[in-house]
Amino acid sequence: CPDTSIQIIKIEPDALLYVPNTFTPDEDNFNNLFYPVFSSKIEEDNGYVFRIYNRWGEIVFETKEAPFTPTFFNNTKGAWNGTYKGEKCQDGTYIWEIYYKEINEDERKRKIGHVNLIR
């Protein structure tokens, strides 16, 4: 009594996350903004959060807008420009934290790292 069963399985790769380790917000039109880059779309409306902390653990930047590949100071969606409360942050190392959820995934992911701010 032979039997055959066929199931199509679609495997989609995880979204790759690239976060630079240094940026230079010195208004020279190069590397002025700090933001994560994802290899595929993520769910912006479902828990995306991007935070920057100073050395004392104070949140100096927070957004729930996923970045739209910012390239200029007037296109800063989801990107940090190196300021806090309108003042330029000092040179140093800052901690970043990202919560995101990939499309068609149930699990919300959390990534942590650091960035160097150099003026």
Side-chain angles (χ1 to χ4, degrees):
C1 180
D3 189 16
T4 302
S5 178
I6 297 174
Q7 175 75 32
I8 296 175
I9 300 173
K10 185 177 179 182
I11 300 174
E12 296 183 17
D14 291 341
L16 297 176
L17 171 63
Y18 169 73
V19 184
N21 63 2
T22 303
F23 81 119
T24 57
D26 53 9
E27 300 176 20
D28 67 353
N29 289 330
F30 297 104
N31 206 21
N32 285 316
L33 300 170
F34 176 67
Y35 55 94
V37 177
F38 292 91
S39 65
S40 61
K41 282 191 94 54
I42 57 168
E43 290 189 23
E44 183 174 351
D45 298 332
N46 200 357
Y48 176 81
V49 179
F50 177 42
R51 292 186 187 113
I52 309 292
Y53 299 89
N54 63 17
R55 70 177 81 193
W56 299 279
E58 182 179 17
I59 296 174
V60 296
F61 176 78
E62 180 177 33
T63 184
K64 294 182 180 182
E65 292 184 312
F68 179 70
T69 313
T71 54
F72 300 105
F73 248 64
N74 61 355
N75 180 16
T76 62
K77 181 181 178 192
W80 182 42
N81 63 5
T83 63
Y84 176 56
K85 295 184 179 179
E87 299 291 323
K88 291 181 179 181
C89 292
Q90 64 184 2
D91 286 9
T93 302
Y94 294 80
I95 303 300
W96 57 261
E97 175 182 43
I98 301 172
Y99 291 93
Y100 66 97
K101 186 172 177 248
E102 296 176 42
I103 293 176
N104 300 324
E105 291 286 326
D106 294 330
E107 179 186 351
R108 186 172 180 222
K109 297 181 180 181
R110 177 184 183 224
K111 301 290 183 184
I112 299 173
H114 69 276
V115 62
N116 298 307
L117 185 154
I118 302 171
R119 293 204 184 269

